[in-house]
Every structure is written in structure tokens, then in C-alpha cells.
């Protein structure tokens, strides 16, 4: 279901009808196979003619040691493991030779052909065949050789895409349209339109200039808040209201054959600091292909003679290309030195990108790559320049392919590495695969991978969390992922936990724990957890690599002590909250009605039942409560609890009746009340209409039993009321006849207008609690007496069963209730309704997800991990942002750490920590003096977390100077130190205090 939110149903259906052919099941081929099988094509044929070798263990996560001893073909060895990923995809293996003499007509049964590890001559031949078919067979070729990778797409002469970005069409509320040529449309203040010139919009609900409604116009952006739409001078004058909705228009993409593109390539630039790089890698990889054709082999590892030969070939190739690009000797030399090697994480990154292109080819969804993508890892090998060539030579183990790229010393550092991976979801699973292939945590004496995740495996995880299978559902993610990772590399040492990483678990994930880790890798889905872990890494001077995805978008960020800023150094703007008055009375969009329904669910079925139970746990009987309120005692929450008790439904019939009364209250009386408070002709002080965009007047909904939406609300609400009030019901109770019989007899209360003030201020917050009047209190006494006399306040009556919202269980009725309630409210306000699927995404705050982006992001993280382990300089690290839909992949340098000046040349960065060693009778004054003597500046304020230890202007704080640090801080017995924040007096009065770095105060001198 998470992938449906990315691709949509039409694309999913097209994909489920497509047949794909993939040749070459090496490290890159298996990545592509994994991703497209998880996505759900109809059938995949995996083709390979090579036998499994020891080498494959370090590059192909689906080849095991017994495949090598059994001398199995790579396609046959991996077939059942690929097929296991998705039972709905038919996976077949082919081992017949594919060469210059092969009759290619067998390819006509496929919609898409992907080639890896195929010679350039054969690629051209197959591409020509695919391009010539009607309709053309979509052609994709991809390769990873050593530190370089290449991806090429040819989807035919003309390829139509219906949705180029996959973004939701924008809806813009209009505040004005000029009567001019061109007419200028202005949107509501503080709501930028975020449109681009050339896009199309259609209009609705425009008052005055009503001939615009239903018409489509191409726009030109004038400013962030306005755009022009052509001549409006002959139209009626604009009065108010109106919504402009973006219209998605199909786009045709044009492709050339491989033969033609080789001489004049169209490349995606991934690193804008090196715009020339794609062409340079293009030339280098063509030179490698020619070298292979000439010598029947790839260049030997570290062989200078072969590198020189390849450089000569590159020079002559450059002359044959249209742009005659400059040859980059370093790229050619390193490609030659490492061409026999293979970087598995690079294959993961390219494989993720290539797989998304396959999905575009078979669905027509998103913008395809035109036509080449080149990525190199020169950053990884440049610092290895001075290494002896023996470092790179094979040793006959599973890491030979990696060793050929990064040398043995760096391989050993990876084996001895301690890594803490937080989260075993989609990115976590992919990261474990990458760590296993790199041999992280496999050292004989050192090295350990520690993982933690508190979650259990859900069915919706299976489309991208590729270590999990259907029989793992409801098992802990971390334990299952650890076990599955050992299948990839049985020599991995791995500790798995099911704890959340948060302040409550600092006993487990203590400073001592962090200090033992070499790198922390986060695979999280929320900002709060990232911020917390980042703060722990900064406090303990540990490198952190963070990443995340949302649909086809992804990011990676490298944080290295003393070199870069940290995650907390920058903050995204907070998510805009929907104003309380909009939710309560003035919804303008379906998101508002869905949030309202979600809030109703929470208050009726979770919050109120919880408060009810809590109250009756405090006061043990109804008689005791009656006695106490009669004697004038005020018991918190008692009015609402008694009201709930007196109205408690005790049968299925009463649950249905309650649902029917709620229908009337929510969808009829609410509208009548608002129109009573603000009739349709109400005007504001400036003379403008009250009910104008974005405010929409409500109209009462008349209950119709035969309307499926009305019926759904009654049934889903009644079922939930029955659950919280512990009322049993049967299948027979849910029959239409039974419901109709109850509904027909319900006496619905008439509408009586009230004089309650309706909140219209958008900045007003929801009130914490509404005061209870004395009349309400008298009423409560009467109701409670009545319940006691009727024997309706017994022990069982004083209990309810709160419901926790669960979006992924379709049988529990939670999303049914929210969909029905939201769409009824939308109907009341004349807002376009949303189907159950969209409602579930918004109400459940579901993050759309797809395996392609996850695989790409985790590959990029693992590449940065190699640099961190090698202790590389700051300019080697790269952050990345990608969006596979458009497609873009942008590498940027990490932000250099900022230095904060205090004064007199004293400065610090986020990575600096001052230390002071005390003793048992050390006072606060001693501490302040010690800081001054050691660091040359006297603190004027000392804070511990949120506790102010010393602020001179605070009453009584001067006396604290004589107190010992032990007494002030009150450390637990095992605590050796405390982290304090200090600040310093400003140079001139009236300015803010100057911040300082954290100071770690040790209670006693450490033994050196």
C-alpha cells in the first residue's frame, strides 16, 4: 500500500501486466531484479551464463557459499531467492548464450529489456532490435566497473508520460483577478502558489468572473503570489472566491539509439561542481569497452601499463565524439586500476536509479532519464594514490572485488568497525545488506554491528523491507533482520535490540556505549529521533550518517566530528498546523475534514474512554463520588465522566441510536448553528462578505438511509461505540434490515440554536478545558443519583475500552469511520471528497515509500561510510539529494563547521568540549575559577540541561557559590561526570550573554 501512494493505481496496473528481461545477475543485476520484483511487474526473466565464484559472495547478496561448491549458474542460484520477494511475480531463469549470433526475436515477448555485463557491441545490436519494434521495446543498459558506473535509457522515438512528477496537483485559493490584458490572478496572502510558467490551471467557484469556471488556461508566473492567464478585459468583474487547480498535461520525451548517443551523449549532471565529469567518465568507460574488445579482458588490477594503454584509447575515442571532450587522466587511470573490482554500494545506488527507469518504461509514470547517468567514486580512491599496488591484489576471499577498489588496509578497517544502526525498516534492511557485502563487523578480534528497532513487521513493510517475508509478520524487525543478514555474510557479528533510542534508554545507550562505536548510521522516519541521536553523537564526538526517503525523493547527510556541521545545525521550517477555527468551523480543503474526523475518532474512542477509566481508578465507587460532590468538593473531570456514564449505551440498539444522533449533531445541527451565528449575507466591518473564500458556508445534510455514505457512518460509528462501551453484537445485528429497523424508531432531537461564540481568529489555540457552570454541576448530581438508583453505576459500568488508532488493519473499521465522517463533512461544506485510500494516507500520516529510492539512498550512505572509516579530509564527503521521479541526483559538499567567537581570540565549535576535574569538596565558585584559569574566561551563568544552577540575577543564587558541585548537581552513585552549559558576560551591557561550549565536569580526578 505504501508504494500505491508513490505510483498510483493506473501505473500499478500497467506494471502488473508487464514482462521484463534482465541479463547479467552480478552485483548490479541482482539489485535491479530485487527492486523490480518488490515493485510488482508481472513476470521477470533473469538471464546469465556465468558460474558462481567466490568473488560473487562480496557483490551478490543472493549467492551463498554452497552455490559455489555446487558450481551453479548465477541465474539459477538466485532464482528462488528473487522469486521469494514477491509471490505475485513470475520469475524465470534463462542460461542460454546471448551473443552476436543469437536470434533476438525471443525478446518480442518483453516490454522492457535490461542489460548488465554485456559487451558494448552486443548492447548496440540489442538496442537497434528493440528500437525498431512497433511499439518499441524499452531498452536500458547499466554497468558498474570499479569506481565508475553508467546507466543508459532508450524508450523509443517518442515516449508519452501522463504525469511527469507524481506530485499532487496544486490547489490555489484566489483573492483577486484583474480585468485586464493579461489578467493577473493573486492568491491569498501568505500562501505562495509555487507554480511554474507554462503550467495549466482550471478554475472553479469564481464569483463574478464566472465564465472562468471550468476553463483551462496556461499561466505565466508574475511573482510568488500572482500569475497571468491571458485576456480577461471583456469578462465580468471579479467579486470573490475561486480556486485554481493545476492540470497535469501529458509530455512527449524523445530518445535516440545507443549508437547515435555514444557520439553525442545527453547526460544528467549529478555534481554541479564538476559539470564536465559525465563526459569524462563517458570517454573513460568507452575506452574500457574498447580495451576489452582488443585484449579479451579487463585491465589488470593496479597495472600501470594497462592504464597507459587505456589512456591512449581514450584520447583517440575523444576525437571521434562530437564535442571532443577533454580526457581526465585520473578517471581513466583509476578506472583501469579498479575495473576488475566492484563497489557493491555503488551498484545499490545505480541499481535503485535503474530500477525506477524500468518502472517508468512499463508504466509511463514520471520523467525518464535522458539518456545517460554517470557516477564515479574518485573521492574514495584519490586519497589511496600512494598505496602499493599489492594492496589491491586478490587474496582468494569474498572481498577481492572490494579490495581491488579500496585496497586491503581499508578492507581491514571495515572488518574491525563497530557500527550502530538505528532502525531496521526499509533503509535499515538495505544498509544491513551493504554492511554484510562490505564485511563490516567481521574482524577476528574487533568489529560489531549493533542494531535496534522497537517495531514488529507489518504486511505493508514487505514491498521494500527486502529481508522480511510473509512468515515474519508480527515478529521483531531487528531480530529478523539480523538473522537474514547472516545469510548474506555468516561471518558478520551482530547484536540486535528492540529498544527505542531516546532519553529513557540512556542506561543502555550510554556515553560509554557511543564511545565504543566508530560510526552511527540512522535509518529513521522522524525528525525528532534524528535530532536526539545527533545530539548524542555530538556529545560523544561520533560520526553520524543520516538518510531518509519520501516516495521517490531521498537525502543523505554525512556528519563528521570537527569537520562538518551537525544535523541540529540546520532546521526545516515547522509543518504548518491547521488553525483550530478552520478545523472546528471553517474547513476549506479535504485535508481539513480528514483531520477533523481523525480528531473526532481520537476524542470519542480513545481520549474520553481513557479519562473515564482514569477517573474511576482514582475514585472507587459512584456513591463515594456523589457524596464528595454533594459536600461541595470539586473533582477534576467529574462532570464529563458522569455525563458519559448517564448516556452510556447498554445494547447494540442504543449504539446505533447514538450513531444516528451524532450524525444529526455533526452534519446538520452544526451547519444550522453556524448559519444562525453568521447568516449568508453577513458582512465584515470593511463591508466584504463574511462567507467568501477560503470560508465556505455549510449546508445541513439530510439523513438518507439509502445513501451508502450515510449508512457507512452509522455502521462504523455504532461498531466503534459498541467496542468502547463493551457491548456485544453479531453479524445479524449488522444486517441492513436490523439497522433500518433501529434507525426508523430513533427520535432525533430538534435543532435549538445557541448563543455560543464561534471562534473566527486563526491564531487562537484550542482551549485546554471548558469551564463547568453551576447548573451543569447540579445536573451532574441529579444524573449520578439517577444512575445509582437504576443500578447503572456498578463496577462494570465504570469501565470503558479505549481504542488505539490503527490504520493498517482494514477489519477494525477505524479508516471506515474517518472516511465516512470526513466525506460527510466535505459534503456539508461542498468540498471535493476523498476516497478511502487517500483518506488513509492523510489520516494515518503515511509516508509513501518505494524500494528503488531506499536502495539508492542506502548505497550512497555505505559509500560515505567507506570515506569516514578511511578518515578522509572534509572535501571528500558528499551529501546527496535525489528525486528519481524527475529524475535528479545532486551531490553537494558538506557544510564546514562554524566557529563561534567568544572574545579575546577564544572560540569554539559544536565539536569542542571543555573539561574540568574536581574533587569531593569542589564548590560552584571553585568550578567557575577553574574554568577561568584553564580557558581564560569567567562564566557568568551555569546551566545543567533545563536546570539553572547559577544565574546571578536569580534570588538566592549568589549563596550557591559556596555549595559543593555534588550537592548542586546531585549525581547518581555511578555518575562520574556531568555535562554543563556555561555562558559569559557580553562585552557591553545590555547585550545577550555569550554562549560557550559544553563543559564536562568530572566529580573526581580521572586516573590517567
Amino acid at each position: 500500500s505504501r508504494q500505491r501512494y508513490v505510483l498510483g493505481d493506473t501505473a500499478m496496473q500497467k506494471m502488473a501486466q508487464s514482462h521484463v528481461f534482465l541479463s547479467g545477475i552480478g552485483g548490479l543485476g541482482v539489485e535491479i531484479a530485487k527492486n523490480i520484483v518488490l515493485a510488482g511487474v508481472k513476470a521477470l526473466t533473469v538471464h546469465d551464463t556465468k558460474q558462481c565464484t567466490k568473488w560473487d559472495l562480496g557483490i551478490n547478496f543472493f549467492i551463498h557459499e554452497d552455490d559455489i561448491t555446487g558450481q551453479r549458474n548465477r541465474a539459477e542460484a538466485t532464482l528462488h531467492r528473487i522469486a521469494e520477494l514477491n509471490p505475485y511475480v513470475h520469475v524465470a531463469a534463462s542460461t542460454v548464450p546471448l551473443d552476436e549470433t543469437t536470434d533476438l526475436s525471443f525478446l518480442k515477448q518483453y516490454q522492457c529489456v535490461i542489460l548488465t555485463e554485456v559487451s558494448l557491441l552486443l548492447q548496440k545490436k540489442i538496442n537497434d532490435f528493440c528500437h525498431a519494434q512497433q511499439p518499441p521495446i524499452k531498452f536500458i543498459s547499466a554497468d558498474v566497473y570499479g569506481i565508475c558506473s553508467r546507466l543508459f535509457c532508450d524508450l523509443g522515438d517518442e515516449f508519452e508520460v501522463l504525469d511527469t512528477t507524481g506530485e499532487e496537483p496544486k490547489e490555489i485559493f484566489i483573492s483577486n483577478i484583474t480585468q485586464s490584458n493579461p489578467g493577473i490572478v493573486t492568491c491569498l496572502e501568505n500562501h505562495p502558489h509555487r507554480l511554474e510558467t507554462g503550467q495549466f490551471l482550471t478554475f472553479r467557484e469564481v464569483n463574478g468572473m464566472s465564465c472562468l469556471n471550468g476553463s483551462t488556461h496556461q499561466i505565466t508566473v508574475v511573482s510568488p503570489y500572482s500569475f497571468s492567464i491571458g485576456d480577461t478585459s471583456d469578462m465580468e468583474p471579479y467579486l470573490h472566491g475561486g480556486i485554481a487547480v493545476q492540470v497535469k498535461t501529458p509530455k512527449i520525451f524523445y530518445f535516440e539509439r545507443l549508437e547515435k548517443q555514444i557520439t553525442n551523449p545527453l547526460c544528467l549532471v549529478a555534481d554541479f561542481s564538476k559539470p564536465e565529469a559525465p563526459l569524462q567518465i563517458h570517454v573513460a568507460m568507452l575506452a574500457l569497452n574498447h580495451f576489452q574488445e582488443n585484449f579479451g579482458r579487463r585491465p589488470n588490477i593496479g597495472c600501470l601499463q594497462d592504464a597507459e594503454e587505456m589512456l591512449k584509447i581514450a584520447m583517440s575515442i575523444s576525437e571521434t565524439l562530437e564535442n571532443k571532450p577533454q580526457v581526465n587522466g585520473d578517471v581513466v587511470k583509476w578506472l583501469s586500476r579498479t575495473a576488475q573490482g566492484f563497489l557493491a554500494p555503488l551498484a545499490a545506488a545505480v541499481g535503485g536509479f535503474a530500477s525506477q527507469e524500468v518502472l517508468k518504461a512499463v508504466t509511463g509514470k514520471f520523467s525518464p532519464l535522458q539518456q545517460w547517468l554517470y557516477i564515479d567514486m574518485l573521492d574514495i580512491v584519490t586519497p589511496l594514490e600512494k598505496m602499493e599496488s599489492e594492496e589491491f591484489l586478490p587474496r582468494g576471499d569474498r572481498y577481492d572485488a572490494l579490495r581491488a577498489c579500496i585496497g586491503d588496509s581499508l578492507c581491514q578497517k571495515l572488518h574491525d568497525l563497530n557500527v550502530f544502526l538505528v532502525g531496521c525498516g526499509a533503509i535499515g534492511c538495505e544498509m544491513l545488506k551493504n554492511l554484510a557485502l562490505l564485511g563490516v563487523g567481521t574482524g577476528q578480534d574487533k568489529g560489531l554491528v549493533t542494531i535496534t528497532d522497537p517495531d514488529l513487521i507489518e504486511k505493508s513493510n514487505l514491498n521494500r523491507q527486502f529481508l522480511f517475508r510473509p512468515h515474519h509478520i508480527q515478529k521483531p524487525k531487528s531480530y529478523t533482520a539480523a538473522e537474514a543478514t547472516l545469510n548474506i555474510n555468516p561471518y558478520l557479528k551482530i547484536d540486535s535490540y528492540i529498544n527505542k533510542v531516546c532519553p529513557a534508554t540512556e542506561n543502555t545507550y550510554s556515553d560509554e556505549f557511543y564511545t565504543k562505536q566508530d560510526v552511527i548510521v540512522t535509518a529513521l522516519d522522524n525528525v525528532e529521533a534524528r535530532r536526539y541521536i545527533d545530539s548524542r553523537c555530538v556529545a560523544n564526538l561520533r560520526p553520524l550518517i543520516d538518510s531518509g526517503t519520501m516516495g521517490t525523493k531521498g537525502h543523505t547527510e554525512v556528519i563528521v566530528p570537527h569537520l562538518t556541521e551537525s544535523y541540529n545545525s540546520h532546521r526545516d521550517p515547522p509543518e504548518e498546523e491547521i488553525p483550530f477555527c478552520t478545523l472546528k468551523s471553517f474547513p476549506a480543503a479535504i485535508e481539513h475534514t480528514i483531520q477533523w474526523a481523525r480528531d473526532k475518532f481520537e476524542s470519542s474512542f480513545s481520549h474520553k474512554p481513557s479519562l473515564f477509566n482514569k477517573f474511576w481508578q482514582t475514585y472507587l465507587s459512584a456513591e463515594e463520588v456523589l457524596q464528595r460532590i454533594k459536600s461541595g468538593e470539586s473533582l477534576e473531570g467529574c462532570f464529563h465522566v458522569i455525563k458519559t456514564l448517564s448516556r452510556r449505551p447498554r445494547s447494540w440498539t442504543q449504539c446505533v441510536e447514538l450513531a444516528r444522533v451524532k450524525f444529526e449533531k455533526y452534519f446538520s445541527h452544526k451547519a444550522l448553528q453556524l448559519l444562525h451565528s453568521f447568516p449568508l449575507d453577513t458582512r465584515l466591518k470593511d463591508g466584504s462578505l463574511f462567507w467568501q473564500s477560503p470560508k465556505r458556508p455549510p449546508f445541513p445534510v439530510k439523513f438518507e438511509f439509502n445513501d451508502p455514505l450515510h449508512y457507512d457512518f452509522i455502521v462504523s460509528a455504532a461498531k466503534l461505540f459498541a467496542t468502547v462501551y463493551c457491548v456485544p453484537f453479531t453479524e445479524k445485528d449488522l444486517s441492513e434490515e436490523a439497522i433500518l429497523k433501529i434507525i426508523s424508531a430513533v427520535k432525533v432531537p430538534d435543532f435549538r440554536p445557541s448563543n455560543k461564540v464561534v471562534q473566527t481568529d486563526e491564531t487562537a489555540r484550542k482551549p485546554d478545558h471548558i469551564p463547568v457552570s453551576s447548573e451543569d454541576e447540579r445536573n451532574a448530581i441529579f444524573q449520578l443519583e439517577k444512575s445509582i438508583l437504576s443500578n447503572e453505576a456498578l463496577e462494570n459500568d465504570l469501565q470503558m475500552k479505549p481504542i488505539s488508532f490503527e490504520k493498517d488493519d482494514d477489519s477494525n473499521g477505524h479508516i471506515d469511520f474517518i472516511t465516512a465522517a470526513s466525506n460527510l463533512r466535505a459534503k456539508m461544506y461542498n468540498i471535493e471528497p476523498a476516497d478511502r485510500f487517500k483518506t488513509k494516507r492523510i489520516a494515518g500520516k503515511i509516508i509513501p515509500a518505494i524500494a528503488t529510492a531506499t536502495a539508492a539512498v542506502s548505497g550512497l550512505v555505505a559509500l560515505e561510510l567507506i570515506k569516514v572509516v578511511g578518515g578522509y579530509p572534509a572535501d571528500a564527503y558528499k551529501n546527496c539529494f535525489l528525486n528519481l521521479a524527475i529524475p535528479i541526483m545532486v551531490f553537494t559538499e558538506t557544510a564546514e563547521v562554524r566557529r563561534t567567537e567568544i572574545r579575546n581570540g577564544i572560540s569554539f565549535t559544536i565539536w569542542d568540549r571543555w573539561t574540568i576535574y574536581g574533587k569531593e569538596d569542589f564548590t560552584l565558585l571553585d568550578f567557575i575559577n577553574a574554568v577561568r584559569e584553564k580557558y581564560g574566561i569567567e562564566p557568568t551563568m551555569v546551566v545543567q540541561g533545563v536546570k539553572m544552577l547559577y544565574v546571578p540575577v536569580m534570588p538566592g543564587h549568589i549563596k550557591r557559590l559556596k555549595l559543593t558541585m555534588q550537592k548542586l548537581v546531585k549525581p547518581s552513585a555511578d555518575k562520574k561526570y556531568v555535562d554543563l552549559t556555561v555562558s559569559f558576560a557580553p562585552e557591553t551591557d545590555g547585550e545577550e550573554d555569550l554562549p560557550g561550549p559544553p563543559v564536562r565536569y568530572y566529580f573526581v580526578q580521572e586516573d590517567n
Side-chain angles (χ1 to χ4, degrees):
S1 68
R2 303 301 186 261
Q3 182 178 289
R4 274 179 71 194
Y5 291 118
V6 182
L7 296 176
D9 286 346
T10 311
M12 290 281 282
Q13 283 156 9
K14 283 184 183 172
M15 191 167 60
Q17 292 161 3
S18 56
H19 295 72
V20 178
F21 178 83
L22 167 63
S23 179
I25 303 300
L28 179 56
V30 76
E31 277 286 346
I32 296 170
K34 161 179 64 80
N35 297 335
I36 61 179
V37 167
L38 286 170
V41 293
K42 181 170 188 175
L44 170 70
T45 301
V46 289
H47 167 266
D48 202 290
T49 55
K50 293 177 184 165
Q51 237 180 33
C52 298
T53 64
K54 191 95 176 186
W55 193 272
D56 287 307
L57 292 175
I59 67 174
N60 186 321
F61 48 86
F62 278 160
I63 288 178
H64 300 166
E65 289 186 359
D66 56 353
D67 298 319
I68 295 152
T69 50
Q71 300 184 326
R72 300 179 70 194
N73 167 283
R74 294 196 302 185
E76 290 176 339
T78 54
L79 174 70
H80 70 281
R81 292 170 193 136
I82 294 168
E84 226 184 27
L85 292 166
N86 189 341
Y88 301 107
V89 180
H90 177 71
V91 185
S94 165
T95 60
V96 296
L98 181 62
D99 54 32
E100 303 298 322
T101 62
T102 307
D103 175 4
L104 298 178
S105 56
F106 79 95
L107 291 175
K108 288 182 180 179
Q109 62 184 300
Y110 300 104
Q111 281 77 52
C112 182
V113 168
I114 311 146
L115 304 181
T116 71
E117 303 184 22
V118 172
S119 74
L120 192 59
L121 281 172
L122 188 53
Q123 283 186 42
K124 287 181 194 173
K125 183 184 173 183
I126 294 174
N127 174 241
D128 287 342
F129 175 84
C130 291
H131 197 102
Q133 301 309 305
Q134 282 304 330
I137 299 167
K138 316 299 183 278
F139 175 90
I140 293 167
S141 69
D143 282 301
V144 171
Y145 291 115
I147 59 149
C148 291
S149 68
R150 160 176 75 196
L151 172 61
F152 172 78
C153 292
D154 170 14
L155 307 187
D157 286 330
E158 294 187 357
F159 181 74
E160 186 181 52
V161 173
L162 298 174
D163 180 356
T164 54
T165 65
E167 301 292 336
E168 288 267 328
K170 296 183 180 75
E171 289 202 353
I172 295 110
F173 287 97
I174 296 165
S175 66
N176 189 41
I177 307 173
T178 62
Q179 224 178 346
S180 56
N181 186 11
I184 305 292
V185 179
T186 309
C187 42
L188 287 180
E189 59 180 351
N190 302 329
H191 291 82
H193 53 68
R194 297 192 175 92
L195 296 167
E196 292 169 22
T197 294
Q199 290 179 329
F200 289 85
L201 296 180
T202 180
F203 291 84
R204 66 168 198 257
E205 300 177 29
V206 176
N207 288 280
M209 210 177 267
S210 53
C211 60
L212 277 179
N213 291 330
S215 65
T216 301
H217 298 260
Q218 193 168 16
I219 66 135
T220 303
V221 170
V222 176
S223 80
Y225 296 94
S226 61
F227 52 86
S228 65
I229 55 167
D231 193 352
T232 57
S233 50
D234 293 339
M235 296 181 187
E236 294 285 306
Y238 171 81
L239 293 175
H240 63 85
I243 297 171
V245 184
Q246 186 188 353
V247 179
K248 297 260 180 176
T249 48
K251 183 176 176 182
I252 304 287
F253 289 82
Y254 303 95
F255 289 87
E256 291 179 341
R257 296 168 190 240
L258 179 60
E259 183 79 64
K260 191 165 182 201
Q261 272 286 308
I262 281 174
T263 56
N264 189 17
L266 182 60
C267 300
L268 182 73
V269 176
D271 187 340
F272 292 109
S273 69
K274 299 188 293 185
E276 69 291 343
L279 272 182
Q280 293 175 348
I281 309 167
H282 181 71
V283 172
M285 291 190 83
L286 287 178
L288 175 62
N289 293 126
H290 281 266
F291 186 101
Q292 281 177 282
E293 284 163 27
N294 295 350
F295 299 99
R297 63 174 176 85
R298 283 185 239 166
N300 287 325
I301 295 169
C303 175
L304 295 176
Q305 204 176 344
D306 283 356
E308 285 302 319
E309 181 60 37
M310 215 168 100
L311 192 56
K312 279 185 208 159
I313 298 172
M315 294 292 193
S316 62
I317 286 174
S318 174
E319 289 304 310
T320 66
L321 303 187
E322 281 194 28
N323 290 345
K324 298 187 173 33
Q326 196 181 359
V327 174
N328 183 327
D330 283 343
V331 172
V332 176
K333 178 187 70 184
W334 275 111
L335 177 57
S336 173
R337 282 180 67 169
T338 63
Q340 290 199 20
F342 190 90
L343 280 173
L346 180 56
V350 179
F353 206 111
S355 311
Q356 191 69 54
E357 295 309 309
V358 176
L359 302 186
K360 292 173 190 177
V362 298
T363 63
K365 173 101 175 190
F366 304 140
S367 304
L369 169 69
Q370 289 196 297
Q371 283 185 255
W372 302 85
L373 171 72
Y374 283 104
I375 304 172
D376 73 274
M377 280 299 129
L378 213 55
D379 288 336
I380 284 183
V381 289
T382 306
L384 311 177
E385 186 76 53
K386 295 184 173 62
M387 269 191 191
E388 296 294 324
S389 56
E390 288 74 44
E391 274 269 347
F392 299 86
L393 295 176
R395 311 276 165 107
D397 63 18
R398 62 169 62 219
Y399 307 112
D400 279 345
L402 175 65
R403 192 176 282 111
C405 296
I406 65 170
D408 191 58
S409 301
L410 206 39
C411 281
Q412 289 307 321
K413 284 184 180 174
L414 286 167
H415 299 341
D416 293 345
L417 200 66
N418 289 331
V419 175
F420 181 32
L421 174 65
V422 190
C424 300
I427 292 175
C429 283
E430 293 283 342
M431 268 322 296
L432 282 168
K433 173 252 303 174
N434 294 333
L435 296 177
L437 292 174
L438 292 172
V440 169
T442 58
Q444 280 186 316
D445 306 314
K446 291 188 204 160
L448 177 68
V449 175
T450 306
I451 62 174
T452 189
D453 194 310
D455 291 345
L456 301 179
I457 295 160
E458 305 283 349
K459 189 175 185 177
S460 61
N461 300 152
L462 301 181
N463 84 306
R464 62 203 181 284
Q465 300 180 16
F466 86 104
L467 296 178
F468 307 143
R469 302 289 174 269
H471 62 270
H472 292 137
I473 288 171
Q474 288 305 302
K475 290 185 177 173
K477 284 186 177 179
S478 62
Y479 298 163
T480 312
E483 199 179 316
T485 309
L486 291 174
N487 288 330
I488 301 172
N489 188 341
Y491 304 100
L492 194 80
K493 288 172 284 178
I494 187 162
D495 272 357
S496 44
Y497 295 91
I498 50 172
N499 308 321
K500 200 173 172 185
V501 183
C502 59
T505 56
E506 278 183 20
N507 283 344
T508 305
Y509 306 116
S510 59
D511 289 345
E512 194 181 345
F513 170 84
Y514 278 93
T515 310
K516 284 178 185 165
Q517 306 308 318
D518 298 305
V519 184
I520 286 85
V521 177
T522 46
L524 295 160
D525 60 1
N526 69 89
V527 170
E528 194 186 337
R530 286 188 176 101
R531 289 201 184 288
Y532 171 72
I533 290 164
D534 176 74
S535 68
R536 299 291 287 133
C537 289
V538 171
N540 291 286
L541 304 180
R542 296 296 96 184
L544 167 68
I545 312 178
D546 176 56
S547 62
T549 69
M550 182 169 168
T552 56
K553 302 184 185 91
H555 81 271
T556 65
E557 183 175 5
V558 196
I559 293 150
V560 185
H562 305 298
L563 297 182
T564 71
E565 291 282 69
S566 80
Y567 184 84
N568 281 306
S569 306
H570 53 81
R571 296 208 165 222
D572 291 334
E575 268 189 52
E576 271 188 42
E577 275 192 2
I578 304 169
F580 170 65
C581 70
T582 302
L583 278 181
K584 191 166 170 58
S585 306
F586 308 111
I590 195 66
E591 287 78 5
H592 302 160
T593 69
I594 291 171
Q595 188 57 51
W596 173 87
R598 176 74 181 82
D599 292 347
K600 274 281 170 269
F601 178 97
E602 203 58 34
S603 72
S604 304
F605 308 122
S606 179
H607 186 60
K608 278 180 187 170
S610 298
L611 289 179
F612 186 87
N613 288 351
K614 195 175 168 192
F615 183 88
W616 293 114
Q617 280 158 7
T618 310
Y619 309 104
L620 298 176
S621 72
E623 288 76 9
E624 180 200 342
V625 169
L626 182 63
Q627 206 177 337
R628 290 171 80 156
I629 52 176
K630 272 186 167 177
S631 65
E633 230 181 294
S634 175
L635 308 184
E636 195 185 345
C638 101
F639 168 68
H640 295 291
V641 166
I642 293 168
K643 191 168 136 187
T644 304
L645 179 66
S646 65
R647 295 179 180 182
R648 181 179 187 128
R650 292 161 195 284
S651 66
W652 171 247
T653 298
Q654 289 177 346
C655 290
V656 176
E657 287 169 352
L658 180 57
R660 175 65 187 89
V661 169
K662 292 288 184 194
F663 181 102
E664 204 68 17
K665 179 186 171 184
Y666 296 157
F667 310 118
S668 175
H669 292 184
K670 174 72 184 176
L672 294 168
Q673 178 60 46
L674 271 170
L675 294 172
H676 168 78
S677 301
F678 304 105
L680 289 174
D681 55 1
T682 305
R683 291 190 179 268
L684 298 169
K685 283 176 187 166
D686 64 2
S688 63
L689 280 170
F690 177 84
W691 291 111
Q692 64 167 310
S693 183
K695 282 193 180 74
R696 310 168 73 86
F699 296 96
V701 177
K702 187 175 184 311
F703 181 76
E704 298 281 352
F705 185 82
N706 294 327
D707 186 316
L709 187 58
H710 300 200
Y711 181 77
D712 286 351
F713 176 82
I714 297 294
V715 174
S716 60
K719 280 163 78 173
L720 291 167
F721 282 129
T723 305
V724 295
Y725 289 110
C726 310
V727 173
F729 59 92
T730 63
E731 276 302 312
K732 196 177 168 191
D733 290 330
L734 293 170
S735 70
E736 262 191 54
E737 295 159 58
I739 304 276
L740 178 60
K741 192 177 172 188
I742 300 168
I743 293 284
S744 309
V746 176
K747 175 83 179 76
V748 179
D750 293 330
F751 169 68
R752 289 218 297 272
S754 89
N755 294 322
K756 259 199 307 198
V757 176
V758 177
Q759 181 60 265
T760 57
D761 177 6
E762 286 201 3
T763 59
R765 316 281 304 178
K766 184 178 180 178
D768 287 337
H769 59 89
I770 298 152
V772 179
S773 67
S774 52
E775 188 187 341
D776 285 340
E777 279 175 4
R778 283 196 299 277
N779 205 3
I781 294 173
F782 168 71
Q783 284 177 341
L784 188 55
E785 279 179 331
K786 193 176 160 193
S787 295
I788 293 169
L789 288 170
S790 320
N791 280 336
E792 290 183 348
L794 303 174
E795 195 178 336
N796 280 351
D797 301 313
L798 306 184
Q799 282 175 357
M800 287 175 75
K801 187 181 170 186
I803 297 174
S804 293
F805 174 65
E806 172 45 63
K807 59 187 176 289
D808 282 320
D809 177 358
D810 287 344
S811 65
N812 63 19
H814 300 185
I815 296 294
D816 298 336
F817 170 82
I818 290 169
T819 305
S822 162
N823 283 341
L824 279 163
R825 189 167 170 84
K827 192 174 181 180
M828 178 167 116
Y829 282 95
N830 197 18
I831 293 167
E832 194 73 25
D835 62 13
R836 188 181 191 281
F837 187 61
K838 180 176 178 178
T839 304
K840 176 176 167 176
R841 174 175 66 80
I842 296 169
K845 294 185 166 60
I846 290 173
I847 298 172
I850 191 165
T852 50
T854 312
V857 156
S858 62
L860 295 169
V861 168
L863 290 166
E864 294 305 314
L865 177 84
I866 295 172
K867 300 176 193 173
V868 172
V869 173
Y872 283 24
D875 59 2
Y877 300 106
K878 294 282 185 283
N879 293 339
C880 181
F881 170 77
L882 56 85
N883 183 350
L884 300 182
I886 308 182
I888 58 164
M889 192 177 220
V890 182
F891 291 102
T892 56
E893 288 194 355
T894 53
E896 189 184 343
V897 66
R898 280 198 304 270
R899 187 158 278 286
T900 304
E901 294 286 331
I902 305 175
R903 62 165 171 265
N904 307 338
I906 300 167
S907 65
F908 68 97
T909 75
I910 53 166
W911 298 103
D912 288 327
R913 189 173 61 222
W914 293 355
T915 48
I916 298 292
Y917 293 99
K919 47 187 195 288
E920 215 168 310
D921 56 356
F922 215 69
T923 64
L924 178 59
L925 185 60
D926 291 334
F927 170 79
I928 289 170
N929 290 338
V931 173
R932 188 187 61 227
E933 282 165 32
K934 191 168 178 183
Y935 297 104
I937 187 162
E938 183 173 317
T940 49
M941 196 155 98
V942 183
V943 178
Q944 177 198 352
V946 292
K947 184 173 153 193
M948 294 185 177
L949 296 184
Y950 177 64
V951 183
V953 295
M954 300 275 281
H957 273 224
I958 298 292
K959 290 178 187 169
R960 290 185 176 183
L961 290 169
K962 294 175 186 170
L963 294 178
T964 66
M965 293 297 282
Q966 290 270 12
K967 195 162 187 181
L968 267 175
V969 173
K970 301 184 180 71
S972 55
D974 57 342
K975 200 87 166 123
K976 293 179 180 171
Y977 57 81
V978 64
D979 287 325
L980 303 170
T981 307
V982 294
S983 50
F984 309 96
E987 293 198 37
T988 50
D989 286 348
E991 288 187 12
E992 283 193 15
D993 279 10
L994 304 167
V999 179
R1000 182 161 283 185
Y1001 171 73
Y1002 287 86
F1003 295 104
V1004 289
Q1005 186 75 36
E1006 289 267 287
D1007 299 329
N1008 289 335

